[in-house]
Amino acid sequence: MARKVTLYTAQWGDMPLETLCEKASLFGYDGLELACTENHLDLARLSPAYCEEIKSTLARHGLELFAISNHTTGQCVTDRIDERHKAILPPRIWGDGDPEGVRQRAAQEMITAGEAARLLGVSTIIGFTGSPIWHLLYSFPPVAEATIQAGFREVADRFKPILDAYRRHNLRFALEVHPTEIAFDTASAQTLLQALDYDPAFGFNYDPSHLGYQGVDYVGFITSFAPQIFHVHMKDVWWSDRPTRAGVFGGHLGFGHRDRYWDFRSLGRGRINFEEIIRALNAIDYRGPLSVEWEDNGMDREAGAAESLKFVKQIDFPPSRIAFDAAFEK
């Protein structure tokens, strides 16, 4: 059986859940991946009754729920907090903006997200970790190895109470490997797993779009971390095959600018080889959903979401359970 296809709701955060469910059902999606936003899953309103209301809304439209996401709050658990974070956090977490207070409140909110997952009947919480050492990425002035390792230990220490809380309820956290996170490619993901002592409650949300334009082997990532692939985002990205005015770091140009080296694209319109991704997911026996995270500044989002669903349904296929030439045997 082909995998279920869900729509990640963060890019639709301006839309009430009822309206979004109507559209997702009309497009033909099997379900949603709910983002912890005011319109979709407001953790400030968390209660058994509120979660039953969400489940009823999905059920009315024939939609299932497979995971929830809390990227912006997770970002603030270990980040170097500044005014940028105020724009992505609810006031109750930002508070007075004291960095350590923000980090501690963000960590507690991630534990609350786990409680929401439990009440909603799902086991996977997707998000970011932030990073205390992202600003040291380009090592000049030279950065001591001990400083980098201390950064990984800090992330492990700050996430330990969150993972402990998740483990008690058979929940798991899936980090979306992504620039500005402590793990942003295969090498850093491996270092993070080691810092966490391969905690079984910690794994990855696989999203090839954040790896491809960096030059990372995004298919190899799947086979490298087969036990830790907890969830999959389907998102495409385009990058240039010729020199551009702004390189991989973006030149401080906004998404959609014609001079960028890379940009997110609607599924099937970028350079990610989804055929090989599906084959790799089949090889590791990944049976979870394929969640469309739609981003394309040059395309209407409703047209893109509908088109992306058709693309995923077409590209996905179940693995073979027999050798193709088995019929030749007597």
Side-chain angles (χ1 to χ4, degrees):
M1 177 182 293
R3 300 169 183 89
K4 297 295 181 72
V5 184
T6 63
L7 181 65
Y8 174 45
T9 72
Q11 287 77 16
W12 309 74
D14 59 316
M15 193 175 289
L17 181 60
E18 183 80 40
T19 304
L20 179 55
C21 286
E22 290 174 1
K23 292 182 180 294
S25 180
L26 182 64
F27 296 151
Y29 280 89
D30 298 308
L32 298 180
E33 175 193 332
L34 277 183
C36 292
T37 60
E38 186 175 348
N39 276 336
H40 299 163
L41 176 53
D42 186 354
L43 295 181
R45 297 176 57 194
L46 186 64
S47 70
Y50 175 60
C51 290
E52 286 301 318
E53 179 184 330
I54 290 174
K55 289 193 286 186
S56 295
T57 300
L58 269 69
R60 276 198 307 276
H61 298 282
L63 298 171
E64 299 178 71
L65 183 64
F66 296 91
I68 67 171
S69 298
N70 201 2
H71 287 73
T72 54
T73 300
Q75 182 74 29
C76 299
V77 174
T78 77
D79 244 15
R80 291 164 59 92
I81 303 298
D82 56 42
E83 284 296 315
R84 297 170 304 156
H85 298 81
K86 184 177 183 179
I88 65 172
L89 287 173
R92 69 179 184 279
I93 300 178
W94 177 255
D96 61 2
D98 173 70
E100 184 56 28
V102 171
R103 284 188 284 264
Q104 291 183 12
R105 288 187 291 274
Q108 185 56 51
E109 185 87 341
M110 291 302 291
I111 293 174
T112 300
E115 177 65 11
R118 188 180 67 81
L119 290 172
L120 288 166
V122 298
S123 61
T124 303
I125 301 95
I126 299 147
F128 289 152
T129 59
S131 172
I133 56 172
W134 175 253
H135 65 293
L136 305 176
L137 178 64
Y138 196 91
S139 188
F140 190 86
V143 180
E145 177 63 21
T147 301
I148 300 302
Q149 292 304 317
F152 279 92
R153 287 196 301 274
E154 179 180 343
V155 172
D157 290 344
R158 289 187 181 275
F159 261 80
K160 185 178 186 303
I162 300 169
L163 298 176
D164 288 346
Y166 287 5
R167 205 181 308 104
R168 285 194 291 272
H169 296 289
N170 295 315
L171 304 174
R172 55 191 191 172
F173 177 73
L175 166 63
E176 185 168 333
V177 175
H178 182 291
T180 77
E181 310 314 313
I182 190 68
F184 53 91
D185 58 14
T186 303
S188 53
Q190 184 67 61
T191 303
L192 178 58
L193 289 178
Q194 293 168 350
L196 289 164
D197 294 324
Y198 292 87
D199 192 312
F202 185 92
F204 299 122
N205 172 53
Y206 174 72
D207 185 331
S209 71
H210 303 302
L211 304 173
Y213 73 84
Q214 292 189 67
V216 176
D217 179 0
Y218 55 84
V219 177
F221 187 97
I222 296 171
T223 54
S224 294
F225 302 116
Q228 288 87 25
I229 303 295
F230 291 170
H231 193 72
V232 171
H233 271 182
M234 297 291 275
K235 191 167 77 168
D236 211 343
V237 66
W238 166 90
W239 60 91
S240 179
D241 57 4
R242 60 177 63 90
T244 54
R245 289 186 65 237
V248 172
F249 297 130
H252 295 295
L253 301 178
F255 289 113
H257 196 287
R258 62 180 296 175
D259 290 332
R260 285 177 62 94
Y261 169 71
W262 64 274
D263 228 322
F264 296 124
R265 292 280 175 88
S266 191
L267 280 165
R269 296 180 178 271
R271 297 188 64 175
I272 294 296
N273 188 332
F274 287 99
E275 167 86 13
E276 292 304 314
I277 286 172
I278 294 301
R279 290 183 180 275
L281 292 174
N282 284 346
I284 68 167
D285 201 27
Y286 173 78
R287 301 187 183 187
L290 302 175
S291 191
V292 171
E293 183 182 9
W294 188 87
E295 292 184 359
D296 188 330
N297 273 359
M299 189 176 189
D300 175 79
R301 66 178 173 179
E302 293 192 27
E307 177 186 82
S308 293
L309 173 64
K310 293 177 182 176
F311 177 85
V312 176
K313 292 285 190 181
Q314 181 179 25
I315 199 70
D316 188 29
F317 55 88
S320 174
R321 299 303 178 188
I322 62 170
F324 71 88
D325 57 354
F328 290 105
E329 297 180 3
K330 293 182 180 180

